Amino acid sequence: MAEFIRDIPDLGTPYWWEGVTWPKLVATLPERADLVIIGAGFTGLSAAIAAHDAGASVLVLDAGQPGQGASTRNGGMVGAHPRLPWDQLNCEFGQDVADSVFAEAAGALEWVQGFIAREEIACGYETCGRIQMAYTAGHFEGQKRLAKALGDKSR
């Protein structure tokens, strides 16, 4: 198994790790689990909690310390619409897929907010609004098209 573990490059030390003493993690693996999740980031731990709450025995494995990977190094942003614009999704996958992805977004945001509240996750979550700037005239025209397309769909 060791051949699959690779060296993780030193990305520096985030300021929020100052004063943290990482525990030495030693555990005996169980003989069986209903579900094995690889990765103790936001997605893996969220899946583990959901599976546990549904009655599964869950084992989470990670190459390093939980909280030292990409999940703790990102911007921590969630929003009411997908990262990719509707126009791009429409061009790449068609209108039905673009519409479906956008239709899922509001419910996904509500789920994340509820999950944080239910699990009492002290993550400093705050609903604070959003601004999306246009860097070029072309970006601004794209934003206007998207606003019109989304406005037409809500009627």
Side-chain angles (χ1 to χ4, degrees):
M1 175 151 260
E3 64 269 16
F4 294 108
I5 298 174
R6 62 179 175 78
D7 290 330
I8 298 174
D10 181 10
L11 301 174
T13 302
Y15 71 88
W16 56 90
W17 289 1
E18 291 175 11
V20 171
T21 302
W22 297 100
K24 182 173 177 158
L25 300 175
V26 179
T28 303
L29 295 177
E31 291 199 20
R32 74 173 295 281
D34 296 322
L35 178 65
V36 176
I37 295 173
I38 308 298
F42 292 149
T43 301
L45 293 177
S46 174
I49 290 169
H52 172 269
D53 290 352
S57 63
V58 181
L59 173 63
V60 178
L61 301 174
D62 197 288
Q65 288 275 354
Q68 283 188 333
S71 289
T72 62
R73 294 176 183 269
N74 69 35
M77 296 177 286
V78 295
H81 66 80
R83 175 72 175 99
L84 294 176
W86 186 91
D87 288 354
Q88 183 177 350
L89 291 170
N90 181 42
C91 287
E92 292 185 30
F93 304 105
Q95 182 175 342
D96 289 344
V97 170
D99 288 347
S100 294
V101 168
F102 267 76
E104 292 279 335
L109 176 60
E110 290 174 16
W111 186 90
V112 168
Q113 292 168 330
F115 182 74
I116 290 168
R118 277 189 312 279
E119 297 298 327
E120 299 178 1
I121 298 171
C123 61
Y125 179 77
E126 190 176 319
T127 302
C128 57
R130 178 181 179 146
I131 185 168
Q132 187 169 340
M133 306 295 282
Y135 185 69
T136 67
H139 292 160
F140 181 60
E141 291 304 315
Q143 289 174 330
K144 289 194 303 189
R145 283 192 310 276
L146 175 60
K148 180 176 179 351
L150 294 176
D152 290 347
K153 291 179 186 322
S154 66
R155 294 184 190 139

